[in-house]
Amino acid sequence: MTDLLLRDARLPDGAGPVDIAVAGGRIAAIGRPGAGPSGAAAVIDCAGDAVIPGLVEPHLHLDKAMLDAEAPPSDGTLADAIAVTGRLKAAFTRESVRARAGRVLEQAVGHGTTLIRAQPDVDPIVGLTGFEAMLDLRAAYADLVDLQIVAFPQEGLLRAPGTEDLLVEALRQGADVVGGCSYQEATTEDCRAHVDRVFALAERFGVPVDIHADLADDTADPRFALAGHIADRTRAHGMGGHVTVGHMTSLASLAPDTRKRVLGELADAGVAVVVLPMTDMHLGGRHDEANVRRGIAPVSDLLDAGVRTGLSSNNVRNAFTPYGVADVLDVALFLAQTSHLASPHDLARLVAMVTDDAAAIVGHGDRHGLRVGAEADLVVLAAPSATEALLSRAHRRAVVKRGRVVATTEHTVQLHRGR
Ligand SMILES: [Zn+2]
């Protein structure tokens, strides 16, 4: 029995048309129109529009979203964003986090996101409040979106005593991933110790690692040159494929030979990189008086080096990122515009980064994708190919989660001529 039939669809690259049959929450068949079994319980007429796998946000601070109305950003630096948000989060309640984060989750689902790795702060300022709100949302929105939860020590470990005990408690209560924020520590030695402690927790609880490694314009400060150390630790713990680093903006400043060597180390060790262009470009280059740096990790070089690379919104409407609507396809377009990515090959790679590659980064590669047997997490685009949707900011006609339609959008423009 076919539960849902997506009729007259195109594949992400525009090939087709095809019919996509869904049964038992999985993709049962992809074939010529009309060739499959008849009598589906529900039908979406794609009318020649493309279907892509569900979008994935591998790095999203839901707990800190939508704070811009409470305190607008001041000088636009990373230190200021942390300080402004630190003051606000002292007053967070489980209910207030749930309300703001829930609004963003609903936006994300409407845009086609079916899987999110959330990064709630866990530290002595906010305690477990943000994390517990994520547990609530994971259960409340389970029919719409999968939510992975990272226990994220935004304020550091050595600099913020008590944080490690809170991380342990979050991992005991069901955090899926242990986070890190090494750039917060005071010395290079402490940054390395921070990374080492995060890996020790990962081993103890059998969970993946996701570290905010650096968010710097360059590596003049040796605290922000940790890629080699993280690659070493990944190899030492046998965790290749289970370690992700976010931001890593300083990689863009490395001279070509050094960059090639460092990216090779990340690729060999199996460390993935998630680029967060809206935040990185907003906070980066703040001390440059001329030729302001873009502050975005070198995406083409990462991909060419064989580093698994994703991208994500990071923040939505707060001091770290005063923009955004939780639409990761829109973030992909921003990355295209800011990283010299324009060829058909580049645009196809960007679409992969927000679907299949991001799913693999968060450990869902085996069940995600537009292929028979995969979970039926699908998006019907209002465009005949994925790259056309990327370039034209096409809306998402329908979003399917485990075989069920969970969101639909209609968009109509009418011109009213004067004669
Ligand atoms: Zn982040």
Side-chain angles (χ1 to χ4, degrees):
M1 174 65 184
T2 299
D3 301 319
L4 175 67
L5 184 69
L6 285 81
R7 194 167 61 198
D8 191 18
R10 292 193 176 275
L11 298 172
D13 65 0
V18 295
D19 283 356
I20 302 167
V22 173
R26 293 187 176 272
I27 299 173
I30 303 173
R32 265 187 312 110
S38 57
V43 176
I44 298 175
D45 181 4
C46 298
D49 280 337
V51 173
I52 61 171
L55 297 169
V56 180
E57 286 266 20
H59 186 130
L60 191 56
H61 297 273
L62 285 169
D63 58 318
K64 296 187 287 200
M66 301 289 187
L67 287 172
D68 56 341
E70 294 178 39
S74 50
D75 71 4
T77 62
L78 173 62
D80 177 66
I82 292 171
V84 166
T85 310
R87 286 194 290 276
L88 291 175
K89 76 180 172 185
F92 280 7
T93 65
R94 197 158 162 169
E95 293 71 28
S96 73
V97 174
R98 249 189 344 239
R100 287 184 290 96
R103 275 159 54 206
V104 177
L105 267 184
E106 290 175 16
Q107 278 187 334
V109 171
H111 291 131
T113 298
T114 56
L115 171 59
I116 293 172
R117 178 177 275 187
Q119 302 252 3
D121 287 16
V122 171
D123 55 53
I125 302 171
V126 73
L128 294 175
T129 300
F131 166 74
E132 288 167 346
M134 293 303 116
L135 289 177
D136 295 342
L137 293 172
R138 182 164 71 182
Y141 285 87
D143 59 333
L144 301 181
V145 62
D146 291 322
L147 195 60
Q148 261 186 17
I149 307 175
V150 182
F152 170 54
Q154 169 76 81
E155 308 296 328
L157 289 178
L158 292 89
R159 247 192 74 214
T163 300
E164 198 163 341
D165 290 343
L166 289 164
L167 290 184
V168 167
E169 188 51 34
L171 288 160
R172 283 202 180 113
Q173 289 187 30
D176 302 290
V177 180
V178 59
C181 193
S182 55
Y183 68 70
Q184 276 284 39
E185 306 298 353
T187 67
T188 308
E189 200 176 46
D190 285 357
C191 290
R192 287 169 181 258
H194 178 120
V195 169
D196 297 350
R197 289 186 185 200
V198 168
F199 272 92
L201 286 172
E203 188 159 304
R204 179 173 159 197
F205 286 92
V207 293
V209 163
D210 198 327
I211 297 178
H212 287 57
D214 79 63
L215 217 167
D217 292 319
D218 54 45
T219 53
D221 183 332
R223 291 182 303 147
F224 306 137
L226 284 193
H229 183 65
I230 293 170
D232 280 349
R233 290 298 87 203
T234 301
R235 276 190 290 261
H237 287 264
M239 286 192 63
H242 304 284
V243 175
T244 304
V245 291
H247 302 290
M248 274 262 154
T249 52
S250 69
L251 294 175
S253 74
L254 300 176
D257 286 353
T258 310
R259 188 189 302 185
K260 195 168 178 194
R261 177 176 53 73
V262 172
L263 299 190
E265 285 179 40
L266 293 173
D268 283 350
V271 177
V273 173
V274 173
V275 183
L276 303 154
M278 292 182 73
T279 303
D280 296 341
M281 201 155 164
H282 176 67
L283 297 177
R286 286 287 172 170
H287 302 295
D288 294 341
E289 291 180 342
N291 291 326
V292 177
R293 284 170 284 187
R294 298 184 183 201
I296 299 175
V299 180
S300 291
D301 291 349
L302 283 161
L303 291 165
D304 291 346
V307 177
R308 197 182 286 286
T309 307
L311 67 98
S312 204
S313 295
N314 191 44
N315 282 287
V316 177
R317 303 279 299 267
N318 62 18
F320 296 88
T321 317
Y323 328 105
V325 289
D327 180 357
V328 75
L329 200 58
D330 195 49
V331 180
L333 179 61
F334 181 76
L335 187 60
Q337 291 162 331
T338 51
S339 295
H340 296 159
L341 298 168
S343 73
H345 177 63
D346 290 338
L347 299 178
R349 291 206 296 190
L350 284 163
V351 172
M353 286 170 75
V354 294
T355 53
D356 298 343
D357 293 344
I361 286 171
V362 302
H364 277 234
D366 56 340
R367 64 185 97 157
H368 191 270
L370 187 52
R371 57 187 166 77
V372 173
E375 282 186 0
D377 290 0
L378 301 166
V379 185
V380 182
L381 303 168
S385 72
T387 54
E388 181 57 34
L390 176 71
L391 293 172
S392 66
R393 293 196 166 102
H395 70 275
R396 321 301 135 77
R397 290 179 49 196
V399 184
V400 176
K401 178 67 188 169
R402 281 188 285 274
R404 196 177 70 86
V405 177
V406 294
T408 53
T409 300
E410 289 181 20
H411 180 69
T412 308
V413 177
Q414 288 184 320
L415 300 184
H416 299 272
R417 306 295 300 263
R419 57 186 167 82

